[in-house]
Amino acid sequence: MAFTLYSLLQAALLIVNAIAVLHEERFLRHVGWGSDQGIGGFGEEPGIKAQLTNLIRSVRTVMRAAISARHFQSILPSRTDSV
Amino acid sequence: MELERHRERGGGGGAGAAGPDPTPPKTPSGLTSPLPAAPKRRVPAAAPRMADPHPLFDDTSAAGGGGGGGGGAQPGRGYGGPPPVSSPYPPPASFLREPVSSLAVVYGSSLASQGRDIVDRNLDRFIPVGRLKYYFAVDTVYVGRKLGLLVFPFVHQDWQVRYQQDAPVAPRFDVNAPDLYIPVMAFITYILIAGLALGTQNRFSPDSLGLQASSALAWLIVEVLAVLLSLYLVTVNTDLTTIDLIAFAGYKYVGMIIGLVFGLLFGRTGYYVVLSWCCLSIFVFMIRTLRLKLLSEAAAEGVLVRGAKNQLRMYLTMAIAAAQPLFMYWLTYHLLRAGAGTGTGRVRGVAVLGAGGGGGIRGGPRVPPTQLGGGGPRAQGVLEQWGAKAPGCWSWAGG
């Protein structure tokens, strides 16, 4: 199976992009994964849902700028490849 | 005058020694360093013009470019060669005072060592080199016992890693400690045996080796990342580092190698029997090793501890351990797909290997026996293999 490192990189980029486009207000609130919806106290260990919510929020915060640059980098070569 | 010339030659020699520097080092005063070889040539021409020992500030009349333009004009010249005597720039020999050039040399060398320090420090931040040495501190006895443990973990009783003053003991002294030597060696051996297996089916080509290697590496990275993600989500407080996870993920290559070897020797039945044995043993090995690291103390000793948290951790351990046989099967079955099952197939494969792995057509049917004929079609086959690289590659991979 031709699962190269480059395709892994592309898949990772797409997945991170998918996580980053989950809009906070329009979507996550309705599902119940908004970042201000009861993460839980400090005494408790956060459950999986809280961890996932945190993860989504941090991916969105960190990756905004990096993803756009990376998109440019991977779309342009693939367009010239197909020609 | 003579003294000046001598000093300039000495300065030119000093700057010439620092000559191989491709870029002129930036001196703090904004002056670039003088060109290394040029000043020597220009000394005789410029010497008559210099009447005073400090031409840096006084030698502007000869150029007509002005004192302020002297320092600014210097960078513009680059390595265009020595300007003629009648150039509008002030002669660079006027800047070639010994303190300045030696300062430039010292500054340049300090920049180089600073650069090296920065690289070392940053490399240490990404790849903990000191920690890596711990994982390669193995000896033959350890390797032998660990391999035996990977194949037959059912009898081993004590799986706890021994600690020595809050740091785990090196693998040399404790057979339970994870190491990186076995995974790295097993990975490389797996790639070589994959090449061997492909060669016996006339599916070999040099780039397929690289493809196998990168594919296996990519799956390894995917697995380690998945385990890291799940450890983060379940908020397990464990001392498992990323390198530990890489080591554990690499242990399955030992089972894969054994399965592949037996598959090549004894056909598909041998492959399945040995692979299932290795899958079972790696499953037990992973469960027993991870149980101590992931679960709480009470649960690790076998006492049934209720509670959602412990249950989740147990599921996580089982999932990680169950992923290993899946990967083992996934990464090896396609190497034995065309089936080195029959005796004739094996003999044919060996003969083809001897002939240098001729022109196997990728993605196509198995090579008919007639192609074993000679060296003529072999050379042609190699050429058409290389020529048909791009589409052939994908069709093979899709198969």
Side-chain angles (χ1 to χ4, degrees):
Chain A
M1 185 172 141
F3 184 36
T4 61
L5 285 173
Y6 183 66
S7 57
L8 179 66
L9 209 60
Q10 274 185 326
L13 174 67
L14 287 174
I15 290 180
V16 173
N17 181 43
I19 295 181
V21 299
L22 295 172
H23 198 276
E24 178 74 39
E25 285 181 14
R26 295 179 196 163
F27 171 66
L28 291 180
R29 292 256 168 87
H30 302 299
V31 184
W33 280 22
S35 57
D36 52 352
Q37 282 174 343
I39 304 278
F42 282 111
E44 275 290 312
E45 267 189 29
I48 287 194
K49 180 174 139 183
Q51 291 286 92
L52 269 177
T53 311
N54 271 335
L55 188 65
I56 293 178
R57 188 165 50 116
S58 31
V59 165
R60 192 174 41 232
T61 312
V62 170
M63 284 301 182
R64 276 247 166 87
I67 280 186
S68 335
R70 187 72 184 88
H71 271 307
F72 274 122
Q73 189 188 351
S74 58
I75 291 177
L76 286 178
S78 61
R79 282 195 52 142
T80 54
D81 270 353
S82 60
V83 170
Chain B
M1 200 62 135
E2 306 300 303
L3 214 54
E4 272 176 10
R5 220 175 294 155
H6 275 274
R7 248 188 297 154
E8 272 166 27
R9 281 216 194 89
D21 251 343
T23 61
K26 299 183 276 294
T27 59
S29 59
L31 300 168
T32 57
S33 77
L35 307 173
K40 265 201 197 146
R41 269 171 295 184
R42 270 186 243 110
V43 158
R49 215 168 313 183
M50 277 184 290
D52 50 333
H54 302 288
L56 263 173
F57 305 105
D58 294 334
D59 193 20
T60 61
S61 56
Q74 194 72 331
R77 198 166 350 176
Y79 281 95
V85 173
S86 58
S87 92
Y89 307 112
S94 67
F95 297 105
L96 189 52
R97 293 285 103 189
E98 258 186 359
V100 177
S101 63
S102 61
L103 179 73
V105 166
V106 167
Y107 194 73
S109 61
S110 80
L111 270 183
S113 64
Q114 266 179 31
R116 198 178 53 220
D117 283 341
I118 289 177
V119 167
D120 281 344
R121 237 180 303 131
N122 283 338
L123 188 66
D124 200 41
R125 196 166 49 182
F126 291 122
I127 307 175
V129 180
R131 296 268 324 148
L132 272 183
K133 283 191 184 163
Y134 161 80
Y135 289 95
F136 284 100
V138 297
D139 59 351
T140 321
V141 173
Y142 169 81
V143 170
R145 293 174 70 181
K146 191 77 173 193
L147 288 178
L149 206 62
L150 283 169
V151 178
F152 199 77
F154 311 105
V155 196
H156 191 76
Q157 294 301 328
D158 177 26
W159 293 83
Q160 179 66 262
V161 179
R162 277 201 301 270
Y163 276 76
Q164 186 191 20
Q165 293 160 357
D166 212 26
V169 164
R172 192 178 292 150
F173 304 115
D174 182 16
V175 78
N176 292 321
D179 72 314
L180 273 182
Y181 174 79
I182 292 180
V184 168
M185 291 295 141
F187 184 76
I188 297 175
T189 314
Y190 161 75
I191 295 171
L192 294 176
I193 295 195
L196 182 73
L198 288 177
T200 55
Q201 300 152 31
N202 300 322
R203 285 197 284 149
F204 180 77
S205 77
D207 55 340
S208 71
L209 261 191
L211 205 64
Q212 284 293 318
S214 69
S215 170
L217 197 64
W219 279 118
L220 190 81
I221 293 177
V222 162
E223 183 187 352
V224 170
L225 285 180
V227 172
L228 276 175
L229 180 71
S230 46
L231 282 180
Y232 167 77
L233 287 181
V234 180
T235 61
V236 169
N237 288 331
T238 177
D239 55 350
L240 274 180
T241 62
T242 312
I243 307 185
D244 282 340
L245 291 175
I246 297 177
F248 288 136
Y251 279 143
K252 62 170 159 321
Y253 283 100
V254 177
M256 284 201 278
I257 292 169
I258 301 178
L260 272 178
V261 166
F262 276 90
L264 287 173
L265 289 178
F266 298 120
R268 282 185 91 75
T269 45
Y271 165 70
Y272 278 129
V273 166
V274 173
L275 194 72
S276 40
W277 173 266
C278 290
C279 285
L280 185 66
S281 53
I282 215 70
F283 184 73
V284 172
F285 176 86
M286 290 297 285
I287 290 232
R288 288 202 180 161
T289 308
L290 288 178
R291 194 172 59 173
L292 289 172
K293 301 239 176 202
L294 293 183
L295 301 183
S296 57
E297 290 302 321
E301 290 180 6
V303 178
L304 235 72
V305 177
R306 287 281 160 209
K309 208 168 49 134
N310 275 320
Q311 219 172 21
L312 206 55
R313 292 183 183 188
M314 196 63 198
Y315 284 151
L316 179 66
T317 315
M318 305 274 293
I320 296 177
Q324 312 287 319
L326 284 179
F327 276 118
M328 285 171 71
Y329 181 66
W330 179 262
L331 287 172
T332 49
Y333 85 99
H334 66 275
L335 291 173
L336 293 174
R337 185 168 33 112
T342 63
T344 55
R346 259 183 290 136
V347 167
R348 202 184 314 154
V350 167
V352 166
L353 257 190
I361 302 177
R362 255 164 300 160
R366 273 179 53 186
V367 173
T370 55
Q371 197 161 353
L372 273 187
R378 171 172 52 120
Q380 243 179 353
V382 170
L383 278 181
E384 80 189 8
Q385 222 174 322
W386 280 110
K389 194 158 44 148
C393 187
W394 292 112
S395 66
W396 171 82

